[in-house]
Amino acid sequence: MDNSTIAAISTPPGNGGIGIIKISGPKAIDIALTVFRPKFWRKNPENAYNKVPENAHCFKSRRLYYGHIVDTKNDRIIDEVLFVIMRAPYSYTTEDVVEIQSHAGILVLKSILTILIHNGAQLAEPGEFTRRAFLNGRIDLTQAEAVIDIINAKSGSAIDMAMAQISGALKKTIESLRSEIIDILSFIDASIDFPDDLDDTTVVSGLVKRIEENIIFQIKNLIRHYENENFLREGLKVVIVGGPNVGKSSLMNRLINRERSIVTDIPGTTRDFIEDSFITKGIPVIVTDTAGMHDNPDPVERIGIDKAWESISTSDIILFTVDAGKSVNPTEMALFEKFRNKKIIAVINKTDLPEEKISFNRPTEWGEVQYVEISALYNHGIDDLKDLIAKTAFESVSGMGQKIIPNLRQKNALEKAIASLTAAVAGLRQASLFELVSIDLKSALASLSEIVGDTVKPDILDNIFNRFCIGK
Ligand SMILES: Nc1nc2c(ncn2[C@@H]2O[C@H](COP(=O)(O)OP(=O)(O)OP(=O)(O)O)[C@@H](O)[C@H]2O)c(=O)[nH]1
Ligand SMILES: [Mg+2]
């Protein structure tokens, strides 16, 4: 356990009603009391104003006290504050914690922090409070990661997901998988000394069945949740693609509801790719406008088109945009074919054109692809398109209810566990040495332990906690 006492401003910079300074560690209470003068203390005329309350025990844990913070160098009052002590182990970090609620001006907050540092506190690193909560065993790593997800959540569904994780849903699932592996492992380890037990093919096939059904199947489910539903956390990547001048940038601006992309009647207006975001049905959507694709691009367009392909390769949904005033040309047909393996929504734009000008005919080759008719110019059909985007995204999402969706780090560890478990199954089937099967099961166990943080390496921890802000 770290013996230092750390302090930080926990509220974001900028003007606001109150700002909070948090102190945690064995000296948190002592250090905080050197600068705090509670009202109840001053009421007694015997207590000189500059005297520190000697007995910290006159403060109750988790009770709010009103008073002032003074600069210990010159006894100058810095601010009037509310002050709360949370004694170990009943605090965020499980250490003694003090929170000082002052006015939110950054100068006031910085002055208070500076005095605390003078009196023996150390400046907290990003995420250090949560890191201590993890290192002191109050939360596991999945819960610590959920804290950052809550802070960064861009939508209601991301918050729901992070809340499920904070309350330990993923941790519990991993625990039950681990205990099943440990159970099988202890049976196999015991059989190493009494190999006759494992000569029985029904015993072996029973073990294989348990690994496949109770463990591998469950882990694959979690991985599938990551693949299908991670957009709820990270945002759904949607890219607008099509020939020049079909109205891609106009559509982009309608989706995000502001004039972000340049629109002109000159084909080849958009050359770089432009990214922005909006929310539909609680899903954060990251939308990219791209350069119009055609067969004879100039060198600048060429680069733009290459970048468009990069966005396409990492996208979840493609909005394949065409001009209702033109029939689909061979370049567009060829382009469409290249997206076959992606989720596509065909967007027929410019449907406001007079009927005699509309020459769009839905190509038979487009088959079952969903499409919407819109007018980016007149803002028609945009809500239908947003609904369809959400519907398409949710198509692969399994039933409702509490969602356990691993993040990328956790998914990678789950994949490592699957590889070891698959090797263990193969070992059992081929009647390899039980020692080897045991090694595979142990490494599966280690991969699962990485998820909750029991065996995680320090540099991975640094990586996780560096994503936090200071003061959390
Ligand atoms: N009538 C009509 N015109 C539109 C509509 N949407 C866009 N336009 C016009 O079509 C022209 C091209 O629009 P953009 O949004 O710049 O098209 P783009 O696909 O981004 O074009 P590039 O970036 O050059 O590939 C502009 O003159 C728009 O005003 C629409 O729904 N109806
Ligand atoms: Mg454009």
Side-chain angles (χ1 to χ4, degrees):
M1 209 205 252
D2 196 333
N3 269 328
S4 61
T5 295
I6 51 172
I9 301 168
S10 279
T11 38
N15 294 330
I18 60 162
I20 296 178
I21 290 175
K22 198 146 79 172
I23 314 160
S24 177
K27 293 217 164 98
I29 299 173
D30 287 350
I31 293 173
L33 287 183
T34 57
V35 300
F36 181 57
R37 300 292 175 267
K39 181 84 182 289
F40 75 77
W41 183 254
R42 277 165 49 211
K43 274 190 183 149
N44 183 345
E46 285 184 11
N47 296 327
Y49 186 67
N50 57 359
K51 213 172 117 196
V52 180
E54 281 135 34
N55 188 0
H57 290 282
C58 59
F59 291 89
K60 289 194 174 133
S61 190
R62 289 180 282 163
R63 160 87 67 94
L64 220 45
Y65 292 92
Y66 169 77
H68 292 91
I69 296 290
V70 294
D71 186 339
T72 40
K73 277 193 299 207
N74 51 20
D75 285 333
R76 192 170 61 90
I77 291 182
I78 291 184
D79 198 8
E80 66 175 341
V81 300
L82 289 173
F83 181 97
V84 59
I85 287 176
M86 286 159 270
R87 286 200 170 81
Y90 305 107
S91 71
Y92 187 70
T93 56
T94 78
E95 303 169 336
D96 281 341
V97 167
V98 178
E99 281 184 15
I100 301 172
Q101 303 181 2
S102 70
H103 292 107
I106 190 69
L107 275 180
V108 169
L109 286 164
K110 275 192 178 161
S111 318
I112 299 175
L113 185 61
T114 310
I115 301 167
L116 293 169
I117 305 279
H118 269 301
N119 287 307
Q122 284 177 22
L123 207 56
E125 304 272 331
E128 198 171 353
F129 293 97
T130 309
R131 187 182 200 129
R132 286 184 175 204
F134 163 67
L135 292 174
N136 297 337
R138 191 180 69 78
I139 55 174
D140 80 331
L141 202 52
T142 65
Q143 292 167 307
E145 288 179 298
V147 172
I148 184 122
D149 285 345
I150 286 270
I151 295 172
N152 292 341
K154 294 185 193 73
S155 67
S157 51
I159 292 178
D160 290 348
M161 204 161 62
M163 275 318 292
Q165 197 162 311
I166 275 191
S167 59
L170 179 56
K171 176 180 155 186
K172 280 194 205 109
T173 309
I174 300 294
E175 287 310 336
S176 79
L177 292 169
R178 284 210 298 187
S179 73
E180 181 71 358
I181 296 179
I182 290 170
D183 210 48
I184 295 170
L185 197 53
S186 52
F187 181 78
I188 287 180
D189 282 348
S191 308
I192 289 172
D193 299 327
F194 304 99
D196 289 351
D197 286 359
L198 282 177
D199 279 350
D200 186 342
T201 49
T202 55
V203 171
V204 171
S205 63
L207 289 177
V208 166
K209 194 164 176 252
R210 271 175 81 184
I211 297 176
E212 284 183 333
E213 288 176 11
N214 300 356
I215 309 168
I216 294 184
F217 179 77
Q218 307 294 342
I219 296 180
K220 282 194 173 157
N221 255 342
L222 287 174
I223 294 175
R224 202 170 31 247
H225 283 177
Y226 170 86
E227 280 158 2
N228 293 340
E229 291 161 51
N230 192 42
F231 68 84
L232 292 170
R233 184 200 313 273
E234 310 270 339
L236 185 74
K237 295 197 187 75
V238 169
V239 48
I240 306 174
V241 186
N245 231 23
V246 296
K248 300 180 296 303
S249 301
S250 308
L251 170 58
M252 166 85 174
N253 294 343
R254 289 303 186 190
L255 286 172
I256 62 172
N257 211 8
R258 64 195 183 96
E259 302 306 308
R260 171 80 205 273
S261 253
I262 298 172
V263 170
T264 73
D265 55 4
I266 307 162
T269 302
T270 308
R271 302 185 147 222
D272 218 336
F273 71 95
I274 291 158
E275 208 173 79
D276 214 312
S277 61
F278 65 92
I279 290 184
T280 178
K281 305 257 184 252
I283 315 173
V285 181
I286 301 154
V287 58
T288 309
D289 177 24
T290 62
M293 304 243 185
H294 63 108
D295 294 332
N296 301 305
D298 67 31
V300 181
E301 281 180 304
R302 176 80 266 153
I303 299 169
I305 292 172
D306 288 346
K307 285 188 175 178
W309 279 107
E310 273 171 42
S311 317
I312 291 164
S313 68
T314 58
S315 68
D316 297 306
I317 298 176
I318 291 172
L319 302 184
F320 188 78
T321 312
V322 292
D323 185 334
K326 298 198 171 103
S327 49
V328 178
N329 65 40
T331 313
E332 287 171 323
M333 287 300 285
L335 205 54
F336 190 88
E337 281 310 313
K338 289 193 190 157
F339 305 142
R340 275 283 176 201
N341 57 345
K342 289 261 175 192
K343 285 183 183 165
I344 309 178
I345 297 174
V347 180
I348 322 303
N349 188 31
K350 308 197 187 182
T351 51
D352 56 277
L353 293 175
E355 220 165 282
E356 63 275 13
K357 281 210 171 168
I358 293 196
S359 56
F360 175 79
N361 279 313
R362 188 180 161 83
T364 48
E365 293 90 330
W366 289 15
E368 293 304 299
V369 167
Q370 318 194 66
Y371 73 112
V372 267
E373 294 184 350
I374 66 157
S375 164
L377 189 63
Y378 292 103
N379 204 8
H380 287 159
I382 303 297
D383 286 341
D384 293 343
L385 174 56
K386 285 186 175 177
D387 287 351
L388 191 56
I389 290 172
K391 197 172 140 251
T392 309
F394 276 118
E395 259 165 21
S396 46
V397 170
S398 53
M400 286 326 224
Q402 205 185 41
K403 281 276 142 49
I404 304 176
I405 303 164
N407 63 25
L408 182 61
R409 180 191 76 83
Q410 295 157 351
K411 187 206 79 160
N412 290 342
L414 290 170
E415 279 172 343
K416 274 200 289 177
I418 292 260
S420 310
L421 291 163
T422 312
V425 166
L428 281 170
R429 286 218 170 101
Q430 293 153 17
S432 323
L433 282 175
F434 305 135
E435 281 90 342
L436 296 181
V437 175
S438 164
I439 289 173
D440 285 329
L441 289 177
K442 279 179 189 139
S443 80
L445 211 48
S447 301
L448 294 181
S449 303
E450 242 175 61
I451 295 177
V452 288
D454 288 358
T455 54
V456 76
K457 297 192 191 82
D459 56 327
I460 294 181
L461 284 186
D462 287 343
N463 240 333
I464 292 170
F465 288 103
N466 287 343
R467 289 161 55 218
F468 278 72
C469 36
I470 288 185
K472 186 63 212 177

